[in-house]
Amino acid sequence: MIAQDLESTAVRRDAGDLAKEGVVGVTIVWADNNGIPRSRTVPVDQFDAAVRRGVGVTPLFAVFDSHDQITFEHAPLGTPSGDIRLVPVHDRPVRLAGQPGFGWVPGRLTEADGSPWAYDPRGVLERQVARAADLGLRFLAGYEMEFQLTTGGHEDGDLPRPAFEGPSYGPAKLLAVDEFAGQLLSDLRENGIRVGQFHGEYGPGQFEFNIAPADPLAAADQQVLARQTVHAAARAHGLRASFAPLVTLGQVGNGWHLHTSVSRAGVNLLSGGNGPHGLTADGAAYLAGLLRDLPAVVAVTAPSQCSLQRLRPGFWSGAYAFWGVENREAALRLVPSTPLLGPDHANVELKPSDASGNPYLSLAVVIAAGVAGIEDGLTPPPAIQEDPGRWSECRRAELGVRRLPTTVAEQTEALLGNERIRNALGEELAGAFLTVRASDAAWAADRDATEVVRAHRWLY
């Protein structure tokens, strides 16, 4: 994966610049344990003060579930008392092209005295990036972002009406939303988000664009900013966008496929080696580490009730734990280097990843699993180039191919049973995360699948 020069392409403005451009408020954003962006907005003339002192928020945001219910079952956050600070990442403010009166900036959550807070997702990712750097490893990450555009059906109980129904992947699909598409590409560029391609996807009203690879923190920031950009462009054209893992029961879902590569001394470890498919020994170990910890990783990258309904065999969503070379049914898809694209292009795509996975935590557990694989010198099993969903149970068992968790109980077991992933999250955050998942499961217990999908439709 070839990194983009973010310093030369991204829009970096201080508060004075923003004010001169007509910005009146700066929105400070973080993502919670459901992958839902939360925010505070400060007047532009208060931005410098927010950088110095932060903005007060309740620590209970760490135990909000997907439906804004606060669970007090996680003992360290078991009361309504307390305060933390939301601090802007001061060198990353962006004037929102689609909302010209507002700026946008990612935030980190700290203790009231400014010290690190155990439940801060950005801090979790920063620790994993630093750990990898200590071993001489550098990561790049990029997202494919799928979403669906609708023209109606936005009331409770109504089925959304896709912006276009017809052949997948064709130019007519983009023609149906031509003005939106043009504004979106322009807004993404002005907001500093480099896009490799944009196209009509498989499902009704479904579209996709991919964000150019960047360092993990920038990649997570840009993923959160990109969804804000899409929602604003959709609103401007009388449309509504949904990134939910499933928008309508029975249809294809929306994944946010996460691509990563790892290098040492500027050399991509996923290409140029003597191993199978050009993998170096460390590149193969990285892939093996991801595969070893995949059930626990996916419990973080695709954690919601809606995620569980999306991860179905035969839907290219990665329902089984195996890897393959350019196999779109594989949970881990190796995209190898080619003479046309060059060695830096090689990367690993994680299919079971969606909007309900906090992007900072998702990248943190992917890095943790891969680095552990390198440290342990793991070797992956042979690549699988078929669809194991068409195999017998006996053949899957013979080749060690298992289904990824299909229930919250299985997700919880996978996470609790994996010390590497729990340690990457930190015991405090892991405890809050699992408490939120239990709250979501209790909410869904007496509801049918259709109601669960409908309730998630406009969360993302």
Side-chain angles (χ1 to χ4, degrees), residues 174-185 233 237 239:
L174 282 181
L175 183 63
V177 294
D178 183 67
E179 292 82 3
F180 159 81
Q183 179 173 339
L184 177 61
L185 290 175
H237 294 278
L239 302 168

Side-chain angles (χ1 to χ4, degrees), residues 257 310 316-318 328-333 349-353:
H257 306 154
R310 173 183 169 264
W316 292 8
S317 58
R328 286 174 169 79
E329 189 64 35
L332 293 171
R333 170 187 167 224
E349 175 191 34
L350 174 67
K351 286 283 205 179
S353 169

Side-chain angles (χ1 to χ4, degrees), residues 92-131:
R92 297 199 173 184
V94 173
R95 176 181 179 269
L96 291 171
Q99 299 170 256
F102 290 89
W104 181 98
V105 67
R108 57 169 49 90
L109 298 166
T110 76
E111 295 279 7
D113 63 1
S115 60
W117 190 48
Y119 301 90
D120 174 38
R122 189 183 189 87
V124 172
L125 178 55
E126 287 173 336
R127 289 195 298 273
Q128 292 305 312
V129 170
R131 175 172 174 259

Side-chain angles (χ1 to χ4, degrees), residues 17-39:
D17 292 332
L18 292 168
K20 291 175 184 177
E21 295 175 1
V23 169
V24 296
V26 181
T27 299
I28 312 164
V29 183
W30 78 101
D32 72 5
N33 280 327
N34 313 289
I36 296 173
R38 309 287 183 174
S39 68

